[in-house]
Amino acid sequence: MEGGWRTKGKILRRQEIMEAALELFSQKGFHGTTIAEVAKRAGVGVGTIYQHFKSKEELYLSPLEERRQELLETLQALAQEEAPTRETLSKMLRAQTAFVEKHRSFFKLYLSEQLATLEAVRERLGVKADHLYGQFFCLYQAVVERGIERGELKPLPPSHLTRAFMGILNSFFFEWLKGRIKDLGEVQDIALAIFMEGASL
C-alpha cells in the first residue's frame, strides 16, 4: 500500500515539474530557462528535477512528447470512427480545441518555439526527428481521403486539402494565442464551414 502511494506521489510530482517546465519554456524559450527556475516554479529542489529527468534537454522534450502523444491518441480514436466526413472532422476539431485550451503552454511552445531548437534537442538525446506535425497531418489526411472516396469532398489532391484544413486551424489557434480571438469555441464551427463549404454564397 505504501509503495502504491509513493508511486502515485512520484507520478504527480513529475507531472507538476513538467507543467512548470512547459510554462517557463513557453515564456522564456529553451535557452532562457534554467533548471533552478523550473524547480522553484514546481516547488521542488533541483535534485528532485534530476531524479525525474537526466538533463535540461530531456526536461524540455518529455512534456512536449507526452502531450503530443496524448492528443494523437485522442484524434486517432476519432479518425477511425465510421461517420460522415464533416462529423468526423468536427469531432476531431472540438477535441483538439479543448486540448489546446487546456494545455495552452504546451501549444504556445509547440507553435512559437523555433523548429531548429526542438530538432537540436532531439539530436542531443538521440531521438529520431520527424516533422513537427507529420503524425497529425497523416491522421487528417486519412479522413480527407476517405471523404473523397465517399464523394463527400471534392476530388482534389488529399495533401492539398489537408494542408488547407490544418492551415485554417493553425491560423485560428495562433490568433487565439496572441489574444486576438477570445473564444476558440466560437470559431471552430466557422473553421469547419470555411473548409467544407468555402466562403462564397
Side-chain angles (χ1 to χ4, degrees), residues 68-133:
R68 184 175 73 161
Q69 187 61 33
E70 180 183 343
L71 176 58
L72 187 64
E73 290 175 0
T74 299
L75 295 181
Q76 281 176 331
L78 294 172
Q80 292 170 1
E81 291 183 1
E82 287 296 329
T85 302
R86 187 185 189 109
E87 181 180 335
T88 298
L89 289 176
S90 178
K91 288 181 178 179
M92 293 174 72
L93 175 54
R94 291 180 187 282
Q96 188 166 346
T97 297
F99 187 90
V100 168
E101 290 180 321
K102 181 179 179 181
H103 301 291
R104 185 187 184 102
S105 294
F106 157 79
F107 205 75
K108 180 180 179 181
L109 182 60
Y110 225 41
L111 279 186
S112 62
E113 186 72 7
Q114 291 184 356
L115 180 59
T117 299
L118 180 58
E119 298 301 354
V121 171
R122 287 177 181 272
E123 186 176 348
R124 286 186 217 173
L125 291 174
V127 178
K128 183 179 179 181
D130 58 4
H131 191 278
L132 196 59
Y133 297 105

Side-chain angles (χ1 to χ4, degrees), residues 66 95 108 140 158:
E66 290 191 20
K108 180 180 179 181
Y140 278 110

Side-chain angles (χ1 to χ4, degrees), residues 28-42:
K28 305 176 68 174
F30 176 77
H31 297 293
T33 301
T34 67
I35 293 291
E37 288 174 322
V38 175
K40 183 177 180 181
R41 177 69 64 91

Side-chain angles (χ1 to χ4, degrees), residues 11 15 24 27 30-32 39 71 104 138 151 179 196:
I11 293 174
Q15 291 296 324
L24 286 169
Q27 294 168 7
F30 176 77
H31 297 293
L71 176 58
R104 185 187 184 102
C138 289
M196 295 295 297

Side-chain angles (χ1 to χ4, degrees), residues 164-180:
F165 182 66
M166 294 188 71
I168 294 170
L169 298 190
N170 289 335
S171 65
F172 278 126
F173 289 148
F174 186 78
E175 291 297 298
W176 173 72
L177 285 174
K178 291 293 184 180
R180 291 190 281 264

